[in-house]
Amino acid sequence: MGNRYTWRTSIVETLAILLGLVFLVPFYYVISNSLKPFAEILTNTSALPKVLMFDNYVNAFEKLNFLTVFKNSLIITIGSNIVLVIFCSMAAYMLVRTKKKISNIIFMTFVAAMIIPFQSLMIPLIKTAGNLGLLNSMWGLVFMYLGFGSGMTIFLYHGFIKGIPLELEEAAIIDGCTRFGVFWRIVFPLLKPITVTIVILNSLWIWNDFLLPSLVLQDPELRTIPLATFFFFGQYTKQWDLALAALVIGIIPLLIFFFTMQKHIIQGITSGSIK
Amino acid sequence: MNNESKLDTVKGAALTNQKSTKVSHSVSFLNKKKWKEAGLFTLFVGPVLLAFILIVLIPFFTGIYYAFTDWNGVTGSVKWVGLDNFKYLFTEDKQFQTSFILTTKYTVVAIILTNLIGFGLALLVAQKLKTKNVLRTVFFMPNLIGGLILGFIWQFIFVKGFASIGQLTGISVFELAWLGDAKTAFWGIVIVSVWQGAGYIMIIYIAALQNVPQELIEAARIDGANRFQVLRHITMPLVAPAVTICLFLTTASSFKVFDANLSLTNGGPFKSTEMLALNIYTEAFVNNRYGIGEAKALIFFIVVAAITVLQVTISKKKEVES
């Protein structure tokens, strides 16, 4: 093995780079064609655009109502993350620290429910949500993400909190801190690493989710990015110039998020998957 | 009674007195503390438990009830029909059976390919390559983008991109009408999901590979083991826990595939690529047959739950043995 960069390594490296390029081919096709006029897409799909043309983007940006749609996605994702982090960390903390049968039962119920596929409860969910007045509202959707995300989030917090020593909390209580205060001042700051992981995993899921928002949000003004993309495609089927630009616009926010958070995302996935 | 003993009695009485006040005091204190604890417990656990019960548990259990009714989702009338829905699914609903078999086939193929390719990529970029960080990012990137948008991207690749590559190279595979034919459309969905999922699985395998002690591998190499033997007898057993996780993740996600299915083929051509999740969705929200949709969903849940539990148990056993 050794540390030297051998011939063998350079061959492997070349092959790996070629494979990486193959992986990127779909992105090449989408981006390069999004910069061409419609006729050129049809005749010269594989070639680079003759002239870079941004008209498709301007058009798609307006037709997608991108600013509104982006704002909706942002509100829903951030809102859901906040409630998930606050309420699940509190619940997981209490479930770990209260050594009672009930804690165990509640925790196991949350974990067991993780295997329920969304499809097997979406039909009555819409009815229940209608009765509760949660339909067609972003806050209703946020409340639903709190319910659906709670299993995984509590599971991750639970595992992490078990590793935090009690002494710190006891000392704080002797100093006159309330349990509520102990949690927010002492414990919660210690949860930062797992909170980052949780926020990333939940953000990727919620930002990209299509099915739930499509069932809950009927008003076009409330559409998220995946929803808007879906309806855009329905409306402009085969109008590839507009459609491709819309796709690129839709994935740009995520790519920016990824490149600023890359290190955390990789760590998050690694630690999030170790159960 | 002499003085001394009198004093003792007084002392004793005082002592018992003291004891009893202490006891009664601590009882009320305990009660108060208990109430306080219960209050705190509710304050901390209550909000998320409420959301969980309203959003997950109640719909789940009412869903089981609806599976035995003729509910159409629109009118208020719900009639109990016993096992009729299930009878219908197993005897008459050919599309459900087709979807079921198709989803199973798809899951098996997707699990194998995603894990093999994911593990292969991990082995590749776990080496001392100059471009390994860039490559990791490249392989992972498809994962950021949701299945729906990925499906649309690939729709373009299959329809226009492949045709164009076919024209340029003359390779017949690219000249097929990929999404227009049942067989190739199935493989189209497989390609998209493997392209997306392999990078995620790769990250987990990389983490596992990094935990394999280098000394072990070097020792084996010195003892004359070749690369393949090292992989087979040292690396593989040590990354077995990661295999369990990755199999679990890919099984669960493959069985539930919906977004890519919807945006890539929408079940077409002629419902030949309609997987279970899409089939349930169509039954409920397009055909308005909620009762039957719920019966399908119940079967779906039982299958997913059984597979995941079984798979985790088996892989856990394998881990211990190795």
Side-chain angles (χ1 to χ4, degrees):
Chain A
M1 297 247 142
N3 283 319
R4 267 185 318 129
Y5 195 81
T6 57
W7 265 104
R8 192 189 153 272
T9 322
S10 63
I11 292 169
V12 171
E13 178 129 35
T14 316
L15 286 174
I17 293 172
L18 283 176
L19 196 61
L21 290 176
V22 172
F23 245 74
L24 288 179
V25 163
F27 290 119
Y28 163 75
Y29 271 94
V30 169
I31 295 170
S32 75
N33 283 295
S34 69
L35 296 162
K36 296 174 191 170
F38 189 63
E40 201 186 325
I41 296 177
L42 296 185
T43 50
N44 258 331
T45 318
S46 291
L48 279 167
K50 286 181 191 128
V51 205
L52 293 186
M53 185 197 77
F54 291 92
D55 299 15
N56 297 334
Y57 282 90
V58 177
N59 244 326
F61 196 90
E62 269 171 33
K63 291 212 164 85
L64 265 180
N65 202 359
F66 186 75
L67 284 183
T68 312
V69 164
F70 176 74
K71 194 190 79 203
N72 294 343
S73 273
L74 212 57
I75 292 176
I76 290 165
T77 309
I78 293 176
S80 308
N81 267 304
I82 291 174
V83 292
L84 273 164
V85 164
I86 291 179
F87 294 121
C88 293
S89 64
M90 283 169 66
Y93 167 73
M94 207 34 114
L95 293 175
V96 172
R97 291 295 186 238
T98 309
K99 303 264 181 268
K100 294 245 172 65
K101 218 177 186 175
I102 183 83
S103 313
N104 218 0
I105 294 172
I106 293 175
F107 177 64
M108 290 319 281
T109 314
F110 273 113
V111 174
M114 278 161 64
I115 55 172
I116 302 176
F118 178 69
Q119 280 79 13
S120 47
L121 42 79
M122 66 181 179
I123 300 167
L125 170 74
I126 297 312
K127 192 185 151 97
T128 316
N131 292 340
L132 294 169
L134 299 174
L135 289 185
N136 226 355
S137 126
M138 288 203 270
W139 300 113
L141 189 59
V142 167
F143 185 72
M144 291 184 203
Y145 280 124
L146 175 62
F148 286 124
S150 57
M152 178 74 167
T153 310
I154 287 184
F155 179 76
L156 290 173
Y157 271 128
H158 197 272
F160 193 88
I161 292 170
K162 270 193 287 188
I164 295 180
L166 255 176
E167 285 79 24
L168 276 174
E169 294 169 40
E170 282 164 353
I173 287 183
I174 290 167
D175 289 346
C177 203
T178 61
R179 279 300 280 285
F180 202 71
V182 166
F183 177 73
W184 286 112
R185 289 188 201 172
I186 315 280
V187 181
F188 191 73
L190 294 173
L191 301 180
K192 199 181 155 207
I194 193 74
T195 302
V196 173
T197 295
I198 285 166
V199 166
I200 285 165
L201 292 177
N202 286 337
S203 298
L204 287 180
W205 159 52
I206 294 167
W207 185 273
N208 285 322
D209 193 21
F210 167 73
L211 186 50
L212 181 60
S214 79
L215 296 173
V216 174
L217 306 172
Q218 262 94 43
D219 184 353
E221 281 297 303
L222 296 177
R223 281 176 188 164
T224 59
I225 290 181
L227 266 181
T229 315
F230 179 75
F231 286 108
F232 193 84
F233 250 83
Q235 205 176 346
Y236 298 96
T237 323
K238 304 296 176 285
Q239 231 175 300
W240 287 116
D241 47 348
L242 280 176
L244 294 177
L247 288 180
V248 178
I249 296 176
I251 60 182
I252 284 174
L254 264 177
L255 291 183
I256 294 173
F257 174 69
F258 176 67
F259 284 113
T260 48
M261 302 282 288
Q262 193 175 10
K263 206 180 96 203
H264 296 289
I265 290 179
I266 302 293
Q267 266 171 9
I269 287 165
T270 315
S271 60
S273 61
I274 294 165
K275 300 176 190 171
Chain B
M1 211 183 257
N2 59 32
N3 269 347
E4 232 181 74
S5 62
K6 212 178 176 180
L7 199 71
D8 271 343
T9 334
V10 174
K11 250 192 196 165
L15 214 69
T16 36
N17 226 342
Q18 213 180 18
K19 221 182 219 166
S20 73
T21 48
K22 205 176 181 181
V23 167
S24 74
H25 192 85
S26 76
V27 164
S28 76
F29 177 69
L30 245 179
N31 259 330
K32 218 174 140 194
K33 202 180 155 201
K34 222 171 159 185
W35 276 108
K36 210 182 146 197
E37 263 180 17
L40 264 175
F41 191 84
T42 317
L43 177 73
F44 275 69
V45 182
V48 64
L49 193 61
L50 179 76
F52 177 73
I53 290 172
L54 288 175
I55 300 301
V56 180
L57 291 189
I58 291 179
F60 179 65
F61 288 109
T62 49
I64 295 177
Y65 162 72
Y66 283 127
F68 300 93
T69 68
D70 67 348
W71 187 34
N72 67 7
V74 184
T75 58
S77 87
V78 177
K79 206 177 90 217
W80 180 266
V81 294
L83 290 173
D84 283 8
N85 289 339
F86 295 91
K87 229 182 277 165
Y88 168 78
L89 292 185
F90 287 115
T91 55
E92 284 171 57
D93 193 338
K94 289 278 174 295
Q95 184 55 42
F96 179 66
Q97 295 160 25
T98 317
S99 292
F100 203 106
I101 296 166
L102 186 78
T103 311
T104 313
K105 236 165 73 182
Y106 164 81
T107 305
V108 173
V109 176
I111 293 172
I112 296 174
L113 287 180
T114 310
N115 278 283
L116 277 182
I117 294 176
F119 189 64
L121 293 177
L123 281 177
L124 197 64
V125 295
Q127 301 187 47
K128 296 183 180 71
L129 304 180
K130 284 174 187 160
T131 50
K132 73 175 179 201
N133 287 332
V134 182
L135 286 170
R136 284 178 192 189
T137 308
V138 166
F139 294 135
F140 177 76
M141 238 163 42
N143 228 284
L144 295 167
I145 304 156
L148 186 95
I149 292 184
L150 279 185
F152 286 132
I153 290 180
W154 275 91
Q155 205 186 63
F156 179 72
I157 307 299
F158 283 127
V159 174
K160 300 299 304 169
F162 271 28
S164 161
I165 298 173
Q167 267 174 15
L168 289 175
T169 60
I171 300 171
S172 59
V173 186
F174 290 112
E175 285 169 335
L176 299 171
W178 272 77
L179 299 180
D181 175 82
K183 212 170 220 156
T184 46
F186 170 82
W187 285 101
I189 304 174
V190 171
I191 291 173
V192 175
S193 61
V194 171
W195 180 68
Q196 181 186 26
Y200 195 92
I201 298 304
M202 172 194 75
I203 302 277
I204 300 168
Y205 281 131
I206 290 174
L209 286 173
Q210 279 166 349
N211 286 334
V212 176
Q214 275 303 308
E215 303 85 62
L216 264 181
I217 292 175
E218 271 159 31
R221 296 285 291 170
I222 290 165
D223 289 346
N226 63 31
R227 277 172 205 281
F228 181 73
Q229 284 169 323
V230 168
L231 181 69
R232 171 79 188 75
H233 296 288
I234 294 177
T235 313
M236 287 300 286
L238 286 172
V239 297
V243 177
T244 308
I245 295 159
C246 291
L247 285 177
F248 170 76
L249 289 173
T250 41
T251 313
S253 66
S254 308
F255 223 84
K256 291 184 268 192
V257 63
F258 176 82
D259 290 12
N261 193 190
L262 177 76
S263 58
L264 195 61
T265 66
N266 195 8
F270 308 110
K271 290 191 168 263
S272 59
T273 60
E274 190 178 84
M275 306 268 185
L276 269 182
L278 186 57
N279 182 258
I280 295 171
Y281 175 86
T282 320
E283 193 69 81
F285 299 111
V286 180
N287 302 343
N288 273 331
R289 297 201 296 183
Y290 284 54
I292 291 179
E294 229 1 281
K296 290 180 178 185
L298 185 59
I299 298 174
F300 186 54
F301 163 71
I302 293 169
V303 172
V304 172
I307 291 175
T308 40
V309 169
L310 191 78
Q311 183 260 310
V312 170
T313 331
I314 293 174
S315 336
K316 280 267 175 221
K317 239 186 216 155
K318 281 247 168 72
E319 265 171 48
V320 178
E321 276 167 15
S322 52

